[in-house]
Structure formats: structure tokens, C-alpha cells
Amino acid sequence: MVEMLPGNFVPSPARGRVLVFDSGVGGLTVAEEIRALGPVLGVHYAADSGFFPYGDKSDEALRERLPKVAKALCDRVRPDVFVIACNTASTLALQDVRAALDIPVVGTVPAIKPAAQLTRTGTIGLLATPGTIRRAYTSELIEKFAGHLRVIMHGSIELVRLAEAHARGEDIHIDRFAEAQAPLFDVPGGEKIDTIVLACTHFPLVRGQLIASAPQPVSYVDSGAAIARQTIRVLPVETEARGIGGHAYLTSHPEDEADLALVLRRYGFPELQSVALDPMDTTSAPTDP
């Protein structure tokens, strides 16, 4: 869902080609924000569908894979800016990806700073994937911007899957969303949470379901609009206007991704292409318990 735009909003005239990247469809929420801010940008999308989801993969597997995937995609698409629309990938391998590319790379980090400014009770929730929860980067953000507050965290792969299912148009009972976020509220002090950081780009897809199923009034904060603003800021001054976007790139075979293709079409990416990777790079490496 695109952040509410002010009445005096003027779209950016920026031109160029942007490639938005995620493991699945979560990054589509970021692509929407970028399109809203820069309507003449050529926005394309890439999903590492051959390694989805990232949240249950080991740090070692992701560090090895992400720079290779980013390089292969950028060699194919030739964007002016590469946007990692994934908290898990960004908090782990942002610098590695930047080292592998010669264009600006915009990462995604949990919106802890705005949540800390918004809370009135002094207790905020962090709803993320298990990978983002355990990152040192996340701990550093909390210490820097919310060290004076109580931060209750929960990592959920189930909510990622629910968001993907919702995006495919599946009818999901509201109780499943209540169960997915319940661990935030069930711990001592959880009743004081008034602000929750959606620290996975999949989660804004089901913001309405989370609001409806929360046991108390809560504001949900994500970083999509901030990512869009940063994307515009780092665009090179000299870029080519190369179409309006609409292409999507997968690391699996498009013919095997009928559900994903349906979602991508709904979000304005009707053309799917496959980007070949070395087979060894698509081997899952689950995180140790």
C-alpha cells in the first residue's frame, strides 16, 4: 500500500531505470512506492524465486548467493539503481552487493527510527523474519534509535507465506493473521505496544489484516516511502529514459511460477523472463536451530 501522499504532492521528474529486487513478491510494495514518487521512471522487478524464502536460509548461504544474483540481474537488466527491497538481504549483505556492482545500491532496513519517534507508550514491536531478528545490524539500529525504549521482537516465516498467499488472491481467515502476530502481544509488556515495525517488505501487503486482527490499537510502520525517496536521490544525473518498466525477472523458470506470474501481472509486471544461475547457487541451506 502506497503511503498517503500530501495534498501538495508533486511527482519527481526523475528518469532512468530502476530494478527492485526481493526473494518473492514483498518488494512489490516498494516498487509501488517508487512508481508513485517517480512515475516516469522505468521500474523493473526481480525475484530470487529459486531461493525463496530468504528468512529461513543460513547467513553463509545468503552471503555467497546475493552478490552473484545481483551481478547476474544487473548484467541482464542494466539498471541505473539497484534496490534491495528485502530486510533480510539488506541487513546481511548490503555492503557485499555494493562491492559487486558499479551502480548505486539502495538497501532496506527496519523502520525503527520513525517507530521510536511515533510511540507514546515507549514500547514498540518489531515484526520481521527470523533472519532479520538475529542480525547484528538490527541490534545496532535498536541501540542507536530505540535504546531508551522497550522493543519486543518476533520473527515469522508464516506471515511471509500468508502475505504471498494473500497476494495470489487466496481467501485467508483473519485468525491466521492474529496468530502470526500474537507472540508480540503475549509476552509481558506486550499490552503496551502501540507501534509495530513491519521489518519485512512482504508484510505491508497484509497491513489491513494485521490492523484488523491486532488485540489493541496499533500503528504499523514500514520503510517503503523512505526507500523510494532514497532511490530518487541516488539516481545518476545523466541517465537514459528507457521505457516505463514492466519487466520481471526470476531465478526459476517462469513456466513453473504460475502463481507468481499472476501476482506480478496484478502489480504491473506482465512480462516474465528467467535469469540463469549456476545450479549450485540455488541449493537451500537452512539455518541451524
Side-chain angles (χ1 to χ4, degrees):
M1 180 182 296
V2 175
E3 183 181 90
M4 185 66 68
L5 299 174
N8 60 349
F9 170 74
V10 177
S12 169
R15 295 180 179 272
R17 177 175 290 184
V18 176
L19 180 59
V20 179
F21 169 79
D22 186 26
S23 61
V25 303
L28 291 169
T29 61
V30 174
E32 281 196 315
E33 296 280 5
I34 295 171
R35 281 172 159 172
L37 185 59
V40 296
L41 290 172
V43 180
H44 300 268
Y45 193 79
D48 193 2
S49 48
F51 209 56
F52 174 83
Y54 279 178
D56 63 356
K57 303 302 189 296
S58 72
D59 291 1
E60 293 75 17
L62 288 170
R63 281 200 190 97
E64 179 181 359
R65 181 175 179 82
L66 282 163
K68 296 177 183 178
V69 173
K71 184 68 164 59
L73 289 167
C74 289
D75 286 348
R76 177 71 168 273
V77 183
R78 301 184 64 80
D80 297 301
V81 178
F82 184 69
V83 179
I84 306 177
C86 173
N87 286 270
T88 298
S90 297
T91 55
L92 177 65
L94 179 58
Q95 297 307 319
D96 296 328
V97 172
R98 283 177 171 159
L101 302 179
D102 58 1
I103 60 173
V105 178
V106 176
T108 302
V109 297
I112 292 169
K113 181 178 180 180
Q117 296 170 339
L118 183 63
T119 182
R120 294 293 177 265
T121 65
T123 301
I124 65 177
L126 180 66
L127 191 57
T129 64
T132 297
I133 292 293
R134 69 172 182 267
R135 300 281 180 258
Y137 191 98
T138 303
S139 298
E140 292 166 4
L141 283 175
I142 293 172
E143 179 62 28
K144 182 176 181 179
F145 296 114
H148 59 298
L149 304 173
R150 180 171 187 184
V151 181
I152 299 173
M153 299 185 288
H154 174 57
S156 175
I157 293 297
E158 174 64 12
L159 190 53
V160 175
R161 300 190 190 282
L162 289 175
E164 292 259 336
H166 170 74
R168 292 192 298 268
E170 295 183 21
D171 186 15
I172 305 169
H173 197 281
I174 195 68
D175 287 351
R176 296 185 64 184
F177 295 98
E179 293 168 1
Q181 63 178 328
L184 287 175
F185 302 104
D186 289 346
V187 300
E191 73 282 355
K192 295 182 179 179
I193 293 175
D194 66 345
T195 307
I196 292 178
V197 179
L198 297 179
C200 172
T201 53
H202 280 75
F203 297 168
L205 290 168
V206 292
R207 184 194 305 270
Q209 288 81 353
L210 293 171
I211 292 172
S213 63
Q216 60 211 44
V218 176
S219 296
Y220 291 84
V221 182
D222 69 85
S223 52
I227 297 167
R229 291 191 293 269
Q230 181 64 8
T231 299
I232 298 295
R233 290 189 196 103
V234 302
L235 271 169
V237 175
E238 297 296 331
T239 63
E240 298 179 35
R242 292 172 285 186
I244 59 172
H247 288 77
Y249 301 84
L250 309 180
T251 59
S252 56
H253 297 293
E255 58 268 25
D256 297 331
E257 303 290 351
D259 289 341
L260 180 55
L262 175 63
V263 177
L264 290 169
R265 284 196 295 269
R266 286 175 174 169
Y267 279 81
F269 297 95
E271 299 184 39
L272 274 66
Q273 300 180 30
S274 178
V275 176
L277 297 170
D278 188 328
M280 68 177 293
D281 291 335
T282 62
T283 302
S284 175
T287 302
D288 293 334

